[in-house]
Amino acid sequence: MKFTEFIETIKLAGESMRGNKMRSFLAALGVVIGISFVILTGWIISGLDNALEETINLIGQDMIYIDKWDWTGGKNWKLYEARKDITLKQAEEFCSRMKGAELAVPLVRKWSVTIKAGNDSYDGISALGTRYSYSQTPAASIQEGRFFSIFEDQINTNVIVLGSKVAETLFPEGNVLEKIIIIRGQKFEVIGTVKKQGTMLMDFVDNQVFMPVGAFMDVFGGQMLRSAEVGIKVGNMDNIDEIREEARGIMREIRNLQYYQDDDFSLNETKAFEETVASLRAYVWGIGIGLTMLSFIVGIIGIMNIMFVSVAERTREIGIRKAIGAKKASILMQFIVESAALCFFGAVISFVLCSTVIFLAATFLPKVWEATSFLKPVMPFQFLILGSVVSIIVGILAGLIPAMRAAKLDPVDSLRYE
Amino acid sequence: MDSEIIIEIEHIAKIYEMGVEQVFAIRDISLTLRRNEYIAIMGPSGSGKSTLMNIIGCLDTPTFGKYHFNKMAVEEMTDDELAQIRNKEIGFVFQTFNLLPRATALKNVELPLVYGGYSSSAREEIAIKTLEHVGLADRMMHKPNELSGGQRQRVAIARALVTNPSIILADEPTGNLDTKTGEEIMKLFNDLWKQGNTIIIVTHEEDIAKHAHRIIRLRDGLVERDEINTSPIEW
Ligand SMILES: Nc1ncnc2c1ncn2[C@@H]1O[C@H](COP(=O)(O)OP(=O)(O)O)[C@@H](O)[C@H]1O
Ligand SMILES: [Mg+2]
């Protein structure tokens, strides 16, 4: 078949679809739904991947956090709860003994803190006491102002660095620096803010405030505190395995563990999030692929059916074409191209549909449901290509048998057909 | 009048199986046709005229017998080779016109050239010339339902002519037309014959057949008479 004939075949498919708009649309509906599932699944997955990457960047790929809690272990929470708390003293001892790492800082945390600024108050904040050197970790990337200094740290100055959401809420008009806030009756001077960096997996980070650990103990010391943590910055990633083992050894000594006892603390790394996301990903793919397959099967049956009808309706036309010299391959191609065009048309509809859904969902859904804030209003480009290719393949598959029937028609019989 | 032989049919038969019954559409026909002949095939309904036309036009193949078209053995050809012969060597004109309803006159006439692999500009040029030739220059962009019966048949004739075939086969081309329009179409065939075309027309009307130079009468799938028309109507 010559190229110019192929061009005519494509034009013909377009005309045929225009001639039967409603029917074409209904026939393509299964494909529209199928391609939409592919695109939306891909979109959610790419959102998850983004969230994962952001989280990893936020925590830092080269960070190890020693914690009583294991960040991935939802199921075993009873086991972790039974562990003795890590005291601030243990954490500080660890930090002074940990030599191989670039940095090791203790972290103490208090949830559900209330902050007052003037007449406003804001609660549900997580307060973090740490050392000046925590500023070297990605979690403390400064937006405005500065982190507290070694000097302020050592003399327990009441200075505070605010997470982005805390700053926005308390000081919507800006000018955060040098403002005074009050926590449990004590005054703190705001010296900086941290970049907005919350992600789906760690949405609380923008709701944190940072202060010198000494100042933290002054304010919250008498209270029930959460188990302390240690943040370790590995520095050179080549050494992460040795540093992990060094950290484990030091911590076991500090916690007085015998050789036969299991660790009563966890070494948390960004890998934990990768695992969480991997299982989420598999889950989404599973649903996506299942629904996609289902709608493609429905779609193929629908298109095939319409193509059989189309072949029957155009029996006489096929006879005419054969009488004036159309070969089997030409007729075959005509109907396959028509079927493929029908499916591609379905894909285009679904592109438009999905763009709308993606835009609306990413814009409005996170406002009512925070957990969906990982969704981005971007149509994943590679899925446009994938969707187009898949739709054309589906069209070819669905059109094959009807087209073969058309190609095989006897010209004399077809010409007699009424 | 010993011009070159185009069609040579030897003892062909065509049998249709109708359940257990066998219908002999053609029992035993032998024919020789030469270039630039103008032939009418006559006979009562069911005598096998259309079947013979379809076989001559390579649209159908005989159950028995030999058929040579331009010295090529048709019974040995594949479907695609037959399609190619139909495309390049044969021009069909039907009683019911058989135009594509959604395509313009021009597009209908271009169609054989599409399957002949012509470029779109060449197609258009040739098709326009052919439509002018049959007197439809001003109706090229009309669809069949916007044309009269006579005009439709002219489009169909243009489509048959457009590939410059060896032979034009017309199965009752005036059957759906009134007498006056039919006469006009017959005049067109006469012109085409004068220009060197080979023409076979199936008809059951004596008035139509009188235009031809040779009249073949069929009955029950056999040739009843094959005679020269010594006084064809001419314009
Ligand atoms: N496809 C077919 N199946 C069965 N019988 C057929 C078929 N085509 C033609 N016939 C039979 O063959 C005979 C000749 O038909 P046809 O060539 O159409 O005659 P004509 O054109 O002279 O009227 C008729 O009896 C017709 O019924
Ligand atoms: Mg007939």
Side-chain angles (χ1 to χ4, degrees):
Chain A
M1 182 184 307
K2 296 238 172 86
F3 183 67
T4 90
E5 185 188 332
F6 186 67
I7 298 288
E8 285 305 302
T9 309
I10 289 174
K11 282 191 205 160
L12 206 63
E15 278 166 29
S16 165
M17 267 159 44
R18 248 172 285 140
N20 283 306
K21 286 195 195 71
M22 195 61 197
R23 191 168 90 183
S24 303
F25 175 73
L26 290 176
L29 208 57
V31 175
V32 172
I33 294 168
I35 299 286
S36 300
F37 279 134
V38 172
I39 292 175
L40 294 178
T41 307
W43 172 59
I44 292 174
I45 298 264
S46 74
L48 282 175
D49 287 347
N50 268 334
L52 171 65
E53 206 184 301
E54 282 171 16
T55 306
I56 288 172
N57 290 339
L58 160 63
I59 298 168
Q61 216 170 356
D62 64 340
M63 293 293 292
I64 300 173
Y65 282 86
I66 300 180
D67 195 340
K68 169 179 158 178
W69 300 92
D70 191 301
W71 293 355
T72 51
K75 270 189 301 218
N76 298 328
W77 69 274
K78 277 206 156 126
L79 176 81
Y80 307 130
E81 196 189 28
R83 290 171 170 176
K84 267 188 280 171
D85 283 351
I86 299 171
T87 62
L88 176 59
K89 216 168 144 250
Q90 287 174 332
E92 301 216 282
E93 185 186 346
F94 177 91
C95 293
S96 63
R97 286 173 60 181
M98 184 72 210
K99 293 284 177 266
E102 187 182 314
L103 175 75
V105 284
L107 295 160
V108 275
R109 190 187 294 280
K110 176 88 178 118
W111 296 101
S112 306
V113 173
T114 302
I115 294 183
K116 288 189 183 132
N119 293 326
D120 298 329
S121 84
Y122 182 34
D123 42 37
I125 290 166
S126 161
L128 212 63
T130 185
R131 303 239 91 113
Y132 72 97
S133 47
Y134 195 62
S135 64
Q136 292 167 36
T137 69
S141 311
I142 291 296
Q143 170 75 31
E144 204 184 336
R146 59 182 178 81
F147 210 73
F148 46 84
S149 65
I150 181 168
F151 179 66
E152 287 162 331
D153 183 358
Q154 278 169 357
I155 65 164
N156 303 340
T157 320
N158 277 8
V159 287
I160 196 162
V161 178
L162 305 182
S164 69
K165 201 168 168 197
V166 180
E168 273 167 35
T169 313
L170 288 174
F171 306 104
E173 71 285 358
N175 288 328
V176 188
L177 301 181
E178 293 176 24
K179 290 269 162 46
I180 301 298
I181 60 150
I182 294 165
I183 302 175
R184 291 173 59 79
Q186 293 203 30
K187 289 182 182 171
F188 282 81
E189 184 191 348
V190 179
I191 56 167
T193 61
V194 170
K195 282 189 183 132
K196 179 169 171 48
Q197 50 190 357
T199 67
M200 172 193 65
L201 298 161
M202 296 193 85
D203 53 353
F204 62 87
V205 292
D206 293 329
N207 241 350
Q208 290 185 130
V209 295
F210 304 84
M211 59 184 80
V213 65
F216 181 96
M217 294 311 285
D218 279 352
V219 180
F220 300 111
Q223 298 215 320
M224 267 271 290
L225 286 176
R226 191 181 178 273
S227 169
E229 292 165 51
V230 178
I232 304 168
K233 188 172 164 66
V234 173
N236 186 351
M237 281 301 278
D238 291 344
N239 301 333
I240 188 158
D241 291 327
E242 289 104 80
I243 288 172
R244 190 187 301 114
E245 285 323 302
E246 185 187 349
R248 188 193 305 281
I250 295 170
M251 202 60 190
R252 286 181 66 90
E253 270 181 51
I254 291 171
R255 304 276 275 178
N256 278 324
L257 295 179
Q258 301 302 312
Y259 66 92
Y260 53 84
Q261 287 175 301
D262 289 332
D263 291 350
D264 63 352
F265 53 89
S266 292
L267 298 161
N268 295 298
E269 293 170 48
T270 53
K271 231 190 255 150
F273 291 96
E274 284 168 40
E275 281 155 19
T276 311
V277 166
S279 66
L280 258 172
R281 218 170 190 278
Y283 194 65
V284 174
W285 265 132
I287 296 175
I289 288 176
L291 291 175
T292 305
M293 289 305 231
L294 200 71
S295 45
F296 274 138
I297 290 169
V298 173
I300 286 180
I301 293 170
I303 298 269
M304 201 184 281
N305 200 27
I306 287 294
M307 291 312 294
F308 273 127
V309 172
S310 178
V311 169
E313 276 180 354
R314 284 150 70 188
T315 302
R316 204 181 172 86
E317 176 190 322
I318 294 164
I320 296 171
R321 288 177 184 277
K322 288 195 162 187
I324 60 173
K327 291 181 181 160
K328 276 187 178 165
S330 302
I331 303 292
L332 189 78
M333 193 54 97
Q334 180 186 336
F335 285 94
I336 286 179
V337 166
E338 185 169 325
S339 170
L342 204 59
C343 291
F344 181 67
F345 161 75
V348 171
I349 293 181
S350 104
F351 295 160
V352 175
L353 215 71
C354 288
S355 310
T356 316
V357 168
I358 285 172
F359 176 76
L360 293 179
T363 313
F364 298 109
L365 206 53
K367 290 186 181 154
V368 288
W369 186 19
E370 277 263 24
T372 59
S373 59
F374 69 94
L375 296 171
K376 296 271 161 340
V378 195
M379 173 73 118
F381 176 69
Q382 64 273 34
F383 285 91
L384 290 186
I385 295 172
L386 183 72
S388 306
V389 172
V390 167
S391 71
I392 289 171
I393 291 172
V394 164
I396 291 172
L397 287 179
L400 197 61
I401 298 171
M404 271 159 50
R405 179 184 284 184
K408 266 194 251 162
L409 282 175
D410 179 70
V412 177
D413 291 343
S414 318
L415 280 169
R416 289 164 156 248
Y417 187 88
E418 290 304 324
Chain B
M1 84 142 232
D2 273 11
S3 60
E4 164 198 3
I5 293 174
I6 304 180
I7 285 167
E8 198 162 26
I9 286 172
E10 291 171 74
H11 300 293
I12 58 158
K14 180 73 189 181
I15 304 168
Y16 290 109
E17 310 273 348
M18 299 287 283
V20 285
E21 237 181 301
Q22 289 188 329
V23 180
F24 278 78
I26 292 178
R27 288 176 191 279
D28 181 358
I29 290 182
S30 299
L31 276 179
T32 304
L33 270 65
R34 291 170 188 276
R35 189 165 297 288
N36 200 214
E37 277 200 275
Y38 187 176
I39 298 172
I41 296 177
M42 295 205 65
S45 181
S47 56
K49 305 185 294 295
S50 294
T51 307
L52 180 60
M53 279 296 241
N54 290 339
I55 289 172
I56 291 174
C58 297
L59 211 49
D60 211 346
T61 45
T63 317
F64 300 111
K66 284 186 186 160
Y67 173 19
H68 283 82
F69 184 95
N70 281 343
K71 305 208 166 62
M72 295 174 290
V74 172
E75 62 273 9
E76 288 167 15
M77 290 184 190
T78 63
D79 284 351
D80 281 355
E81 285 167 336
L82 292 174
Q84 186 151 344
I85 296 261
R86 292 197 293 271
N87 183 246
K88 302 230 172 339
E89 305 292 346
I90 291 164
F92 278 103
V93 178
F94 303 92
Q95 178 176 356
T96 52
F97 320 129
N98 279 339
L99 299 173
L100 298 185
R102 285 195 302 253
T104 61
L106 184 61
K107 286 284 171 198
N108 266 291
V109 176
E110 277 186 35
L111 204 54
L113 302 176
V114 170
Y115 294 121
Y118 288 71
S119 74
S120 92
S121 57
R123 283 199 309 258
E124 197 169 293
E125 195 188 322
I126 301 172
I128 289 174
K129 250 187 221 153
T130 314
L131 277 162
E132 283 167 353
H133 195 86
V134 300
L136 275 182
D138 54 340
R139 291 285 186 277
M140 289 192 294
M141 291 307 164
H142 292 248
K143 294 194 174 157
N145 62 1
E146 300 158 354
L147 297 171
S148 70
Q151 287 169 333
R152 286 182 211 184
Q153 199 57 303
R154 281 171 195 271
V155 175
I157 292 170
R159 184 180 64 188
L161 278 175
V162 77
T163 55
N164 193 22
S166 299
I167 187 164
I168 292 169
L169 302 176
D171 194 345
E172 314 230 16
T174 60
N176 277 18
L177 303 174
D178 60 61
T179 319
K180 187 172 163 287
T181 316
E183 279 297 314
E184 283 165 20
I185 293 296
M186 292 316 293
K187 180 173 184 315
L188 179 56
F189 278 118
N190 202 71
D191 292 344
L192 296 176
W193 168 74
K194 278 185 188 156
Q195 287 151 16
N197 287 290
T198 311
I199 295 169
I200 307 181
I201 288 179
V202 165
T203 183
H204 55 260
E205 292 175 60
E206 291 290 344
D207 286 347
I208 298 296
K210 274 181 197 148
H211 295 90
H213 298 222
R214 176 179 169 194
I215 300 176
I216 298 170
R217 291 173 200 276
L218 302 188
R219 183 175 293 277
D220 291 336
L222 291 167
V223 176
E224 192 185 37
R225 248 182 330 166
D226 182 350
E227 58 196 0
I228 302 296
N229 179 9
T230 46
S231 54
I233 300 174
E234 299 241 11
W235 274 271

